[in-house]
Amino acid sequence: CLFFAGITIATNRTVPASLRAKTNGLSMVGGSISKGLGPIFAGLLVALSFSVPNKEVTQYGALFIWSTIGAMGVLVYFYIDILAARARQVQPSSAEEGTSI
């Protein structure tokens, strides 16, 4: 839950005021999709990591799970950082310069 609140705050700070409604809507859709697909992905990840017939691989199942989740977190961080850098390059129009929240 904290992640989705942080994304909403970061989105509102990096997007021009004229695009905030669309961006917040897309953020909510993305949050809903990830909340729906998250348990499916996690179950698949656990099932795959512990169902390998080779015992040498199976003993590292938890390491595989946490490594995959960590790698996904790092990728999302860099993706958001790239999007924020692109948003900073956009110059606000004269109508948006007077608005500050």
Side-chain angles (χ1 to χ4, degrees), residues 31 41 47-48 64 77-78 93-94 97 101:
F41 177 74
L48 288 176
F64 174 71
Y77 171 77
F78 285 116
S93 66
S94 60
E97 288 178 359
I101 295 177

Side-chain angles (χ1 to χ4, degrees), residues 4 7 9 11 26 28 35-36 43-44 46-47 49 56-57 59-60 62-63 65 68 71-72 83 95-98 101:
F4 295 112
I7 289 296
I9 292 169
T11 301
L26 287 173
M28 293 297 124
K35 287 177 184 176
L44 181 66
V46 169
S49 65
E56 287 79 23
V57 176
Q59 69 182 356
Y60 297 110
L63 180 64
I65 292 169
T68 303
M72 289 174 55
L83 290 179
E96 294 172 355
E97 288 178 359
I101 295 177

